Amino acid sequence: NPRLDLGATPELDGAREHLIVRSPVWLDAREVSVAEFRASGLAISLSPGGPSDNPHETGTGIAHCTYTSGAGPNDSLPVNCISWSLAKKFCESRGGRLPTEAELEAAGSALGRSAYVWGADAPECGDAVFQRSEPTDLCATDGTGPLPSGSGARDRLALPTGEVVDLAGNVREWTLDRWNREDEPCWSAPILQDPRCETPSVVDGDARVTRGGHFDDVPALLQASVRSWLANEEQAVSALIGVRCAR
């Protein structure tokens, strides 16, 4: 989006235009929930019988982590505090994969038609899950942290085969791609066919791309073209990042 202006912050860019040709893809309608991930049996504990460290379990040190080892009120929330490697393993265990950066931007921009999945106007509270990390935040009148899938009234993409929700808010999502800045070789071709960056950035080191906004973002950061990343694909987790699978 050439109108995107985030103050030249290298961790958050997305203003340079690229021409991309995409193959068809199936994208999960919702972000993976706590209950879905628990059922996979893939959670990792630091010690036998101890709480899960990946996904990081709620109440064990990182605010707003949603995962619990037993059924409970968090089951419908998107699982977060999960590493890139474990998110990838989960999607592969279901016969899928992580989506690419280009695939998530296409969905989040209403197939390339708008800045936000619903159009050009910035969200208000209730349109998407954002600005609700602290009790004093603008949209935290009913609590803080992520909400059950589909809670954002306008954060949805209607397609002939169904509706995809939480593309703009709730939790950011892991992608297959390694992080490359927009002026690095991965993005230099005039036309990109199903792009996927597999070479580490020469500027920022080895990191994986995340896409979409999250519950702590301000409205402008819910735009589909905003890019971000997190380093250490084996261990790094964040309450702001979850997972959605593709096929």
Side-chain angles (χ1 to χ4, degrees), residues 19-43:
L19 185 59
I20 290 174
V21 180
R22 274 190 316 105
S23 300
V25 62
W26 291 100
L27 195 63
D28 278 359
R30 299 173 184 271
E31 294 161 338
V32 177
S33 71
V34 169
E36 286 175 314
F37 193 86
R38 186 190 309 114
S40 74
L42 294 174

Side-chain angles (χ1 to χ4, degrees), residues 120-232:
D121 56 311
E124 297 180 357
C125 296
D127 290 340
V129 181
F130 70 104
Q131 282 196 284
R132 47 176 292 117
S133 179
E134 302 293 337
T136 54
D137 287 347
L138 178 65
C139 301
T141 55
D142 61 347
T144 61
L147 287 174
S149 295
S151 293
R154 294 206 297 165
D155 190 359
R156 51 195 67 240
L157 174 65
L159 298 169
T161 51
E163 196 170 58
V164 185
V165 301
D166 295 332
L167 290 162
N170 225 4
V171 291
R172 191 174 281 159
E173 299 167 16
W174 285 116
T175 76
L176 272 176
D177 299 70
R178 294 190 184 277
W179 168 263
N180 277 242
R181 295 195 186 192
E182 293 185 303
D183 57 357
E184 292 193 83
C186 179
W187 298 105
S188 63
I191 300 178
L192 298 159
Q193 174 73 48
D194 291 322
R196 173 188 169 189
C197 292
E198 297 180 313
T199 303
S201 167
V202 298
V203 180
D204 299 312
D206 199 358
R208 296 286 176 175
V209 177
T210 63
R211 280 297 198 131
H214 54 69
F215 63 87
D216 191 31
D217 268 337
V218 297
L221 296 183
L222 271 59
Q223 294 179 82
S225 57
V226 175
R227 310 174 66 228
S228 190
W229 54 272
L230 187 67
N232 191 343

